[in-house]
């Protein structure tokens, strides 16, 4: 008989594994709880998922090394706060360590003392149902006893960077019909003169062609953003990077670790600095960005392009 041969398991690189997982777009949540001693905790997480409709069960996971776990373990209840698109700062705040995350945070108290954050897309109040060991994480299953659906557009997380929800460009926007003729005439074309709608749609179309060109370099979105921001010198310190790159500090640090491993940057005294190799790479990324921008604006006079950029800077609050 032929011996049965089994393939040796491939060693998984944790950093590359996490990077690959980042291709799965998720929402962003803040998990909150409070124990009987009054200790309040909150952690930013994108591991949230549904488990069952009947009974209503959800789950999420927390690192075994997290200093917040003991409160989630002790608390009878916890809350899942699904963040809205306007809550990037709150997400960054709750992803930081060694700060009072509730100072200046607007919330109310829910079941089992769990803090319910204001202005979210939705909030689920959960009774702690089960805690299961899952490798280097604890999987926490909650039984939903109440929920609040605010309907706000959610914050999205993809490739280590924040994003938002917009209609897919392949979907054609069809004008709604109405039986009232004068109302139809009054609003005809109104959407196509709405600045918010136009900016959102223009940004999506602009990225459709630009992002694939950037991804060809082998860098994911968060790494490319970090290189571009460091290359432009717009962030004065490491603490400014989450704001300028639109991603949480832990993702900044993870992206920096990947780039440092590739010899593209070094960290010193709270600052990231590009190496010569990093500067050349950033220059290459700028060339891709500039080339795409020139393609988009080639049919417009230079003065119109300058006016457009000035308007965008004014709206963005950039001096």
């Amino acid at each position: 008989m032929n011996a049965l041969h089994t393939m040796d398991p491939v060693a998984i690189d944790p950093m590359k594994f996490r990077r690959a997982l980042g291709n799965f777009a998720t929402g962003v949540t803040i998990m909150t709880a409070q124990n009987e001693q009054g200790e309040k905790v909150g952690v930013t997480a994108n591991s949230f998922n549904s488990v069952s409709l009947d009974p209503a069960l959800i789950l999420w996971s927390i690192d075994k090394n997290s200093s917040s776990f003991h409160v989630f373990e002790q608390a009878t209840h916890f809350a899942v706060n699904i963040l809205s698109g306007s809550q990037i700062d709150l997400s960054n705040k709750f992803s930081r360590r060694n700060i009072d995350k509730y100072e200046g945070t607007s919330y109310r108290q829910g079941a089992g003392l769990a803090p319910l954050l204001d202005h979210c897309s939705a909030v689920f109040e959960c009774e702690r149902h089960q805690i299961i060991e899952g490798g280097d994480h604890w999987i926490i299953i909650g039984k939903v006893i109440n929920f609040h659906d605010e309907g706000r557009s959610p914050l999205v997380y993809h490739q280590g960077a924040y994003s938002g929800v917009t209609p897919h460009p392949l979907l054609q926007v069809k004008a709604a019909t109405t039986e009232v003729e004068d109302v139809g005439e009054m609003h005809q074309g109104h959407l196509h003169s709405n600045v918010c709608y136009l900016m959102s749609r223009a940004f999506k179309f602009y990225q459709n062609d630009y992002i694939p060109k950037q991804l060809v370099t082998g860098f994911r979105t968060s790494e490319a953003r970090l290189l571009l921001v460091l290359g432009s010198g717009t962030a004065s310190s490491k603490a400014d990077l989450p704001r300028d790159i639109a991603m949480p500090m832990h993702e900044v640090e993870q992206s920096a670790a990947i780039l440092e491993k590739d010899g593209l940057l070094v960290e010193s005294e709270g600052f990231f600095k590009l190496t010569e190799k990093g500067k050349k790479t950033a220059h290459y990324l700028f060339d891709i960005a500039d080339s795409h921008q020139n393609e988009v604006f080639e049919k417009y006079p230079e003065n119109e392009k300058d006016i457009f950029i000035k308007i965008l800077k004014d709206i963005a609050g950039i001096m």
Side-chain angles (χ1 to χ4, degrees):
M1 295 180 62
N2 294 328
L4 181 64
H5 294 284
T6 58
M7 294 182 63
D8 293 332
V10 177
I12 298 294
D13 184 322
M15 193 175 291
K16 291 181 178 179
F17 180 54
R18 187 182 187 91
R19 190 182 188 193
L21 289 174
N23 290 306
F24 182 64
T26 69
V28 183
T29 70
I30 293 177
M31 302 294 179
T32 55
Q34 183 174 186
N35 60 18
E36 290 184 353
Q37 290 72 44
E39 292 180 274
K40 290 193 296 289
V41 292
V43 296
T44 301
N46 66 337
S47 56
F48 167 73
N49 214 329
S50 61
V51 175
S52 167
L53 293 178
D54 186 15
L57 301 175
I58 59 86
L59 65 75
W60 68 288
S61 60
I62 184 171
D63 193 310
K64 285 184 175 179
N65 293 322
S66 172
S67 60
S68 300
F69 173 69
H70 76 281
V71 175
F72 285 106
E73 186 180 31
Q74 295 167 358
T76 59
H77 296 72
F78 65 89
V80 181
N81 302 273
I82 298 179
L83 300 189
S84 66
S86 64
Q87 293 180 304
I88 289 178
D89 289 343
L90 194 65
S91 174
N92 288 336
K93 181 179 183 180
F94 274 78
S95 68
R96 293 170 61 190
R97 303 183 185 92
N98 304 319
I99 65 166
D100 183 354
K101 299 176 181 179
Y102 287 95
E103 183 180 358
T105 299
S106 181
Y107 69 94
R108 63 190 188 282
Q109 199 170 88
L113 307 176
L116 312 181
L117 305 181
D118 293 335
H119 313 304
C120 292
S121 291
V123 177
F124 296 90
E125 298 182 65
C126 302
E127 179 183 280
R128 179 168 49 78
H129 180 72
Q130 192 175 6
I131 297 178
I132 303 172
E133 187 172 11
D136 57 9
H137 278 61
W138 293 109
I139 300 170
I140 301 179
I141 300 176
K143 182 177 181 180
V144 179
I145 60 171
N146 195 14
F147 67 91
H148 315 273
D149 184 358
E150 304 299 334
R152 294 184 174 92
S153 182
L155 185 62
V156 177
Y157 197 59
H158 176 239
Q159 288 197 343
Y162 294 120
S163 187
V165 177
T166 58
H168 196 283
L170 293 181
L171 299 177
Q172 298 297 317
V173 179
K174 296 182 179 180
T177 57
T178 176
E179 295 180 0
V180 185
E181 187 175 342
D182 59 339
V183 173
E185 291 176 355
M186 180 175 64
H187 293 285
Q188 185 176 9
H190 184 74
L191 188 62
H192 289 173
S193 61
N194 180 274
V195 173
C196 182
Y197 169 78
L198 289 174
M199 288 178 65
S200 175
R201 186 167 180 181
F203 178 70
K204 187 65 178 178
F205 272 82
Y206 189 91
Q207 282 202 318
N208 282 341
D209 292 328
Y210 169 60
I211 294 298
K213 295 175 183 177
Q214 185 185 82
L215 293 177
V216 167
T217 65
F219 298 106
R220 64 174 181 164
T221 303
S222 57
E223 294 156 17
R225 286 186 186 178
L226 181 53
L227 284 167
L228 289 169
V229 169
L230 292 175
S232 65
T234 54
S236 59
S237 70
K238 180 178 173 180
D240 292 333
L241 289 171
R243 176 201 66 198
D244 291 349
I245 308 177
M247 61 189 195
M249 180 57 79
H250 72 85
E251 189 64 44
V252 170
E253 293 172 340
Q254 288 160 7
S255 296
I258 292 172
L259 297 177
E260 186 171 15
K261 187 177 179 181
D262 291 338
L264 299 173
L265 62 75
V266 293
E267 181 178 1
S268 176
E269 298 179 355
F271 289 85
F272 290 129
K273 183 179 178 181
L274 294 181
T275 62
E276 287 304 314
K277 182 181 177 182
K279 291 176 183 177
K280 290 178 181 178
T281 304
H283 184 74
Y284 176 48
L285 290 170
F286 275 118
D287 283 345
I288 294 174
D290 291 343
S291 175
H292 182 67
Q293 179 173 301
N294 291 337
E295 288 178 17
V296 172
F297 284 97
E298 64 181 356
K299 62 182 178 180
Y300 301 102
E302 193 67 25
N303 67 312
E304 291 186 4
K305 172 186 170 183
D306 292 340
I307 292 172
F308 179 73
I309 291 175
K310 182 181 183 302
I311 291 173
L312 287 179
K313 285 183 176 180
D314 287 343
I315 293 173
I318 298 174
M319 303 299 293

